[in-house]
Amino acid sequence: MPIPGAVKQLVRIAQEVETEQDLEFAMAEVTRELGFRYYALSHHVDFAATPDRATRLHNYPESWQDYYDRHRLGVSDPVHRASHVTSVGFCWSRIPEMIALTPADRAMLSLGRDQGIGNGFTVPAHVPGESRGSCSFASDAGGATPAHIFPIAQLAGNFAFEAARRLWLRRGQRAVVGTTPLTDRQRDCALWVARGKGDWEIARILGVSEETVAQHVRQACGRYGVNKRTLLLVQTLFDGTLTLTDIFRR
Amino acid sequence: MPIPGAVKQLVRIAQEVETEQDLEFAMAEVTRELGFRYYALSHHVDFAATPDRATRLHNYPESWQDYYDRHRLGVSDPVHRASHVTSVGFCWSRIPEMIALTPADRAMLSLGRDQGIGNGFTVPAHVPGESRGSCSFASDAGGATPAHIFPIAQLAGNFAFEAARRLWLRRGQRAVVGTTPLTDRQRDCALWVARGKGDWEIARILGVSEETVAQHVRQACGRYGVNKRTLLLVQTLFDGTLTLTDIFRR
DNA sequence: GCTGATATCCCCCTTTTCCGGGATGGCGGC
DNA sequence: GCCGCCATCCCGGAAAAGGGGGATATCAGC
């Protein structure tokens, strides 16, 4: 396992890289050293719509990026979706165990193979309140996947993403998310809203009147500047006021 | 750098560990091998309030855990808060550059030192929709911090947290994700529902009639056995059919 | 040629949510 | 003492969602 050289390179990426060109060069080098052919380091957003609000570096074929953007795969790519259900890197062959694949997903994956992209390894990168991202390494279609190197790829992906994120933060606007913007009671109501309860039912559970619940829900919506309980739900999940774990536990 | 042995151990943790005792033993071993004294692997929740809904493993002194729980530090611990602003592990000495420390934070850190906990390294672990978590390694107060080993600690933290998370998921029978994906059209509608659109508006966007949208939403709800669009939203987020990134893109 | 899944459209009726107004009492800061 | 924030309660009308019943057309697979 050619670890020491790779690790040295990774540390350099993490700490010293100052420009995107620098990072691209380092990524190409690390990718080669790990026995992969491609790398892709990006936020999971629609780049055609938001070209400069996110980070993307890769050495995939041009044609693949075009296809990717045209179909807005930044947000629906099954590799990205799978990276949202784990905290550690995963081999692409495990994706079907991780998420439910739609026919469109299968079509996309097979088209990727047609374009020369084989099996790969993706490291998720999530910072609460920021767009999710990941760093992937892939081999040529038909080429061998260097599975023994996955732990080092994990490390490489971690440091590489953080390096890209550092450049991104320096370059522009950071979306700093505040602390909990809801009162305790508003959060209680939001939690039961998330559990699918109606105002009447929540009133029963909390031991207050239906109007009070409606009022809390209204004001919670007001805090986020939204006008629907579905959006209240999305906002509370987004900023961590609620988590899916909160919602499912009893 | 004693990498190969540590890496081998890490891979074992990641893949083979079947019980918490197993994981505790492996963590103790890795901690020692990396030159640290303590480890702590936990979700960032208030354990006094939710004793068995989250994961926590550590070999800190008992007295420290008592203090921790009494003050509900699981959610306000500055180490945890710092781990929410990065995607990669960090040395505790860098915390003041990462977050604003309150007097209470400083008091807590100094008390930690009194209890024998020195400098440390913390690896964040975030899975969208789940409680945030982290894996920390710390040396004895006054002892040297094995800084050269940070990259390997990063890797150890990643794999260790995921191993703990795997056990946690298994314990709660949460890993089994529904095998009933939505049709493409149902997913389209669910996405716009998640964006807070009404049926009429979605009909406009998709170029179909309002009744058709209502029908797709109804049937999507049927797939998950729920009867409200808020619950449809929760379910699609839970099984990865939709992600918060999907919802916010555009 | 049939069946099942998908996607589209229509009507009617009930329940729930949303939105604009209110009101009261408590508590903490200035 | 006043002001702002929080929690509680109330009303009425407009809008949306939920739930039941239908229908037609396409397309894939057997």
Side-chain angles (χ1 to χ4, degrees), chain B residues 111-175:
Chain B
L111 192 58
R113 277 190 295 274
D114 293 346
Q115 304 250 347
I117 300 165
N119 198 7
F121 184 82
T122 291
V123 182
H126 305 142
V127 176
E130 293 178 9
S131 293
R132 292 161 197 162
S134 59
C135 181
S136 299
F137 296 99
S139 34
D140 268 316
T145 316
H148 63 286
I149 213 74
F150 282 172
I152 306 303
Q154 162 74 36
L155 197 50
N158 277 141
F159 282 118
F161 187 87
E162 186 64 15
R165 181 173 167 269
R166 189 161 48 78
L167 296 178
W168 172 72
L169 287 175
R170 182 184 304 170
R171 204 179 58 199
Q173 274 110 28
R174 291 270 310 277

Side-chain angles (χ1 to χ4, degrees), chain A residues 114-185:
Chain A
D114 293 346
Q115 304 250 346
I117 299 165
N119 199 5
F121 184 83
T122 291
V123 182
H126 305 143
V127 177
E130 293 178 9
S131 289
R132 298 196 250 282
S134 59
C135 181
S136 299
F137 297 98
S139 33
D140 268 316
T145 315
H148 63 287
I149 215 73
F150 283 171
I152 306 301
Q154 163 74 35
L155 196 52
N158 277 140
F159 281 118
F161 187 88
E162 184 63 15
R165 181 173 167 269
R166 190 161 48 80
L167 296 178
W168 172 72
L169 286 176
R170 183 185 304 170
R171 196 180 66 201
Q173 64 293 347
R174 66 179 305 173
V176 171
V177 176
T179 53
T180 170
L182 295 185
T183 70
D184 289 348
R185 215 49 169 162

Side-chain angles (χ1 to χ4, degrees), chain B residues 42-53:
Chain B
S42 110
H43 278 128
H44 300 174
V45 302
D46 177 7
F47 279 91
T50 59
D52 45 35
R53 297 302 185 170

Side-chain angles (χ1 to χ4, degrees), chain A residues 17-248:
Chain A
V17 162
E18 290 296 327
T19 69
E20 290 211 349
Q21 291 70 34
D22 225 3
L23 182 53
E24 279 182 3
F25 186 79
M27 285 302 293
E29 200 174 330
V30 168
T31 301
R32 194 180 331 109
E33 194 168 343
L34 295 184
F36 289 102
R37 169 73 180 80
Y38 300 108
Y39 72 88
L41 194 170
S42 100
H43 278 128
H44 300 173
V45 302
D46 177 8
F47 280 91
T50 58
D52 46 36
R53 298 238 8 192
T55 276
R56 174 165 68 178
L57 288 178
H58 68 91
N59 65 347
Y60 282 151
E62 271 296 313
S63 57
W64 179 242
Q65 172 172 321
D66 292 346
Y67 171 82
Y68 209 84
D69 286 345
R70 233 180 6 260
H71 295 271
R72 306 183 180 285
L73 287 179
V75 294
S76 61
D77 184 342
V79 172
H80 289 184
R81 298 215 313 283
S83 82
H84 297 164
V85 302
T86 181
S87 70
V88 81
F90 56 92
C91 178
W92 292 356
S93 57
R94 281 190 47 228
I95 292 178
E97 308 159 24
M98 301 171 70
I99 59 169
L101 288 178
T102 68
D105 291 335
R106 295 178 206 282
M108 186 219 123
L109 291 171
S110 115
L111 192 58
R113 279 190 294 274
D114 293 346
Q115 304 250 346
I117 299 165
N119 199 5
F121 184 83
T122 291
V123 182
H126 305 143
V127 177
E130 293 178 9
S131 289
R132 298 196 250 282
S134 59
C135 181
S136 299
F137 297 98
S139 33
D140 268 316
T145 315
H148 63 287
I149 215 73
F150 283 171
I152 306 301
Q154 163 74 35
L155 196 52
N158 277 140
F159 281 118
F161 187 88
E162 184 63 15
R165 181 173 167 269
R166 190 161 48 80
L167 296 178
W168 172 72
L169 286 176
R170 183 185 304 170
R171 196 180 66 201
Q173 64 293 347
R174 66 179 305 173
V176 171
V177 176
T179 53
T180 170
L182 295 185
T183 70
D184 289 348
R185 215 49 169 162
Q186 285 166 0
R187 187 177 175 279
D188 290 341
C189 290
L191 174 61
W192 287 104
V193 164
R195 289 173 176 170
K197 304 302 182 187
D199 289 348
W200 182 87
E201 215 168 348
I202 298 172
R204 277 288 134 116
I205 292 163
L206 297 182
V208 298
S209 84
E210 189 178 343
E211 282 74 22
T212 301
V213 172
Q215 186 75 347
H216 286 313
V217 172
R218 252 189 308 252
Q219 284 171 341
C221 287
R223 290 284 174 96
Y224 289 108
V226 300
N227 64 343
K228 284 214 163 50
R229 34 180 69 203
T230 46
L231 286 175
L232 172 61
L233 180 41
V234 168
Q235 293 295 329
T236 53
L237 286 171
F238 181 67
D239 78 354
T241 298
L242 293 183
T243 67
L244 290 178
T245 316
D246 292 330
I247 296 170
F248 283 113

